[in-house]
Amino acid sequence: MSSKNAFIGSLDQGTTSSRFIIYDSTTKPIASHQVEFTQFCPKAGWVEHDPMEILESARICMAKAVDKATADGHNVDSELKAIGLTNQRETTVIWSKSSGCPLHHAIVWMDVRTSAICRRLEGELKGGKDHFLETCGLPISTYFSAMKIMWLMENVEAVGKAVKSGDAMFGTIDTWLIWNLTGGTKGGLHVTDVSNASRTMLMNLKTLEWDKQVLEALKIPAEILPKIISNSEIVANIATGWPTTGIPIAGCLGDQHAAMLGQACKKWEAKCTYGTGAFILLNTGDEIVKSTHGLLSTVAFKLGPKAPTSYALEGSIAIAGAAVQWLRDNLGIISSADEVEKLAAEVDTTGGVYFVPAFNGLFAPWWRDDARGVCIGITRYTTKSHICRAVLESMCFQTRDVLDSMNKDFGKDDSAEKIVLRVDGGASINSLLMQIQADVLGMPVVRPANIETTALGAACAAGLAVGVWTENDIFSNSERMKTATTFRPKLANEQRKKRVDSWIKAVSRTFDLADLAL
């Protein structure tokens, strides 16, 4: 590492909380603070955040982390060199350029209110669901920002008026944060990075620019869109009024892309991040790989304005850790998230129970927004321990579905073909979950000592831009691998196949349930 006294900050804005972490020049975290914020569900399938609450949570995290580092004797004021930012992707905000106020709550990535718009477009456009696949690598789905922009323009009067008058600004959460961090109505920069832009369904994957034909087809004006930049470059200094005034923002990536960088994934290496959802990305280098098995082509990262672009194949799972939160908050089966591992460990199997958490439809590789959650195979023998274990297994089976699709895209029939899966994110600390994952996959699962790779990836991008680290520093992960934990499969192949077949049967039971009467 090239600067002994340098510190890099990372603002990690997730689906349920914001964090600010300060790293030293060895990428060791020296201070952090986290604040949860409210998730609103005004209707079934609708999920929203208050953009102003997100801003305030970011402000508190930054201030508290700096205070902690200072209290521990670190001279953050003079040695903090840059800040990287990483965020929940696809979540959509439209705000007033003149007032700086949001014109509606942010519509969160997992929200499915745009399903009618998706069906309408599929019927109107020549290519149906895959009409934009060649251009942006994404199918028409409720998941992506473009559909959420259209819904806001069509259903929120204030948004429609602001778009017509030229007062509207669109952004994913990175754009909203950067605009406010760099001055807001007093000169804030309206930018997004290539990874977040690639998730809007509006960016051309080859040119890395907003695609005019897509914008015209969806009737989204280019004027409301931010400028697209790379993942590692000095954007601007943080404005007055923030805890880290004057420090440059020098890195920005969507959370899953940041985790790829934090895991140092080179070409043909994959990682899975277990958070609210779960996201498997395989680095395909400079090659845009087109999936025929339900995966997404996306940007992995571009580490500088003149750097080459790395692409990825992605499988997105809507509900992973959120299912554990559901057990806790909605059903009261557990009182804390870490209790699920203890209960699940009380039984060796689920007793024939399969749980498919299609709360908001199914993402990759199924892409069924008409799916709804099911729990099947319940008998008088079933206990809450069986249900807890079934919830954990659901994350693992969904991950296998994605990896199977990746292997099929490369002409391989079995996920046991030797991809070594790197894992991270909050749920990966659950060792039982990771062992079940290895058993379901039939291949090794490697967990780094530091599972907070999303925040680390944003810090790496920022440190690279200001010369604290080099690309070789970032991608030389031999030392990190020495401290990693490897989970190896213990389940017999015959048992694995039987369970996978049962899982596929359970998934089929979730289809065409969106119209069930309440």
Side-chain angles (χ1 to χ4, degrees):
M1 300 297 177
S2 56
S3 181
K4 292 183 179 180
N5 298 316
F7 298 115
I8 299 291
S10 179
L11 177 57
D12 179 2
Q13 197 287 307
T15 307
T16 58
S17 64
S18 296
R19 294 183 305 167
F20 190 72
I21 302 177
I22 301 173
Y23 294 90
D24 66 14
S25 60
T26 69
T27 68
K28 177 185 175 182
I30 61 163
S32 67
H33 192 77
Q34 179 169 321
V35 173
E36 293 191 1
F37 49 78
T38 310
Q39 190 156 273
F40 303 94
C41 298
K43 294 183 182 181
W46 291 30
V47 188
E48 299 178 351
H49 291 154
D50 179 353
M52 299 305 291
E53 186 182 4
I54 286 175
L55 280 186
E56 185 58 24
S57 69
R59 187 188 305 275
I60 293 169
C61 287
M62 294 167 78
K64 294 286 188 181
V66 170
D67 287 347
K68 288 177 183 178
T70 302
D72 287 341
H74 300 290
N75 191 0
V76 177
D77 287 340
S78 64
E79 298 297 338
L80 185 60
K81 302 300 182 185
I83 287 173
L85 188 151
T86 181
N87 59 287
Q88 53 169 309
R89 307 172 301 170
E90 297 96 15
T91 297
T92 296
V93 188
I94 295 183
W95 68 95
S96 164
K97 186 187 305 182
S98 56
S99 72
C101 296
L103 299 172
H104 190 272
H105 272 172
I107 301 180
V108 178
W109 56 272
M110 68 178 76
D111 185 289
V112 295
R113 75 186 67 186
T114 61
S115 57
I117 293 176
C118 293
R119 299 295 82 76
R120 184 182 81 208
L121 289 172
E122 288 172 18
E124 292 174 352
L125 298 171
K126 184 178 179 181
K129 190 172 188 175
D130 296 334
H131 185 80
F132 302 116
L133 208 59
E134 183 69 26
T135 301
C136 64
L138 309 175
I140 293 172
S141 167
T142 59
Y143 187 14
F144 307 114
S145 308
M147 302 297 99
K148 305 178 198 302
I149 296 171
M150 292 179 68
W151 188 92
L152 288 166
M153 290 170 58
E154 293 176 10
N155 293 277
V156 180
E157 184 179 359
V159 171
K161 286 182 178 178
V163 169
K164 287 180 181 177
S165 69
D167 189 45
M169 304 181 84
F170 154 76
T172 42
I173 296 296
D174 59 309
T175 301
W176 169 245
L177 287 170
I178 291 173
W179 188 76
N180 281 281
L181 285 166
T182 59
T185 57
K186 299 178 181 178
L189 290 184
H190 190 211
V191 299
T192 190
D193 73 273
V194 290
S195 65
N196 276 295
S198 74
R199 313 300 299 183
T200 61
M201 217 178 79
L202 301 174
M203 190 191 81
N204 186 301
L205 276 183
K206 295 176 183 176
T207 66
L208 306 184
E209 296 176 351
W210 302 122
D211 191 276
K212 291 181 181 179
Q213 290 184 333
V214 176
L215 294 177
E216 289 172 3
L218 301 181
K219 298 181 175 59
I220 294 175
E223 292 74 25
I224 72 171
L225 304 178
K227 177 185 176 183
I228 300 173
I229 61 173
S230 78
N231 299 115
S232 180
E233 62 180 274
I234 296 175
V235 180
N237 291 349
I238 293 179
T240 56
W242 288 89
T244 53
T245 296
I247 304 301
I249 298 172
C252 181
L253 306 94
D255 50 9
Q256 305 313 318
H257 313 264
M260 279 196 88
L261 191 60
Q263 286 269 37
C265 288
K266 304 183 185 75
K267 188 173 182 178
W268 309 127
E269 294 181 339
K271 69 89 199 173
C272 179
T273 299
Y274 302 84
T276 301
F279 303 87
I280 303 95
L281 276 78
L282 173 70
N283 188 335
T284 61
D286 59 1
E287 182 181 354
I288 301 174
V289 175
K290 296 171 185 175
S291 175
T292 57
H293 296 88
L295 303 180
L296 309 176
S297 302
T298 192
V299 170
F301 39 71
K302 180 180 174 66
L303 300 179
K306 296 181 180 179
T309 305
S310 289
Y311 294 92
L313 264 183
E314 174 172 343
S316 306
I317 297 165
I319 301 295
V324 176
Q325 295 168 347
W326 177 76
L327 288 178
R328 180 192 65 194
D329 300 338
N330 293 52
L331 299 189
I333 287 178
I334 56 175
S335 56
S336 62
D338 55 6
E339 191 180 340
V340 73
E341 182 176 10
K342 179 182 176 183
L343 279 170
E346 291 179 354
V347 291
D348 293 329
T349 71
T350 65
V353 175
Y354 287 83
F355 175 76
V356 187
F359 297 161
N360 297 76
L362 289 170
F363 286 179
W366 310 101
W367 296 109
R368 296 289 297 251
D369 59 25
D370 64 331
R372 289 297 179 268
V374 301
C375 188
I376 65 173
I378 299 171
T379 66
R380 285 290 300 270
Y381 173 70
T382 302
T383 67
K384 63 182 179 180
S385 292
H386 294 112
I387 292 173
C388 285
R389 193 175 184 98
V391 166
L392 294 186
E393 286 195 358
S394 74
M395 301 185 210
C396 303
F397 281 120
Q398 289 181 98
T399 301
R400 179 181 173 115
D401 289 344
V402 170
L403 286 170
D404 279 349
S405 293
M406 285 183 174
N407 282 315
K408 288 173 184 175
D409 279 330
F410 290 100
K412 300 173 182 177
D413 294 327
D414 191 339
S415 67
E417 292 288 345
K418 303 305 181 187
I419 295 174
V420 175
L421 184 67
R422 302 179 187 184
V423 296
D424 55 61
S428 68
I429 198 170
N430 184 327
S431 292
L432 175 61
L433 174 65
M434 294 298 97
Q435 183 58 53
I436 294 172
Q437 184 69 86
D439 288 339
V440 165
L441 291 175
M443 68 186 197
V445 170
V446 179
R447 181 178 66 195
N450 176 14
I451 63 169
E452 303 295 348
T453 58
T454 302
L456 177 60
C460 287
L464 179 64
V466 296
V468 172
W469 300 309
T470 65
E471 281 198 43
N472 187 58
D473 292 330
I474 294 168
F475 287 100
S476 294
N477 61 356
S478 57
E479 289 301 314
R480 277 183 276 179
M481 292 301 288
K482 289 178 183 177
T483 59
T485 302
T486 300
F487 298 86
R488 301 189 184 280
K490 300 177 181 177
L491 191 67
N493 287 336
E494 185 178 339
Q495 288 181 291
R496 181 181 304 112
K497 185 180 185 306
K498 185 176 181 180
R499 292 188 187 181
V500 170
D501 289 345
S502 298
W503 164 257
I504 298 299
K505 186 183 292 184
V507 170
S508 71
R509 302 295 195 269
T510 71
F511 300 159
D512 299 316
L513 297 182
D515 294 330
L516 287 179
L518 296 177

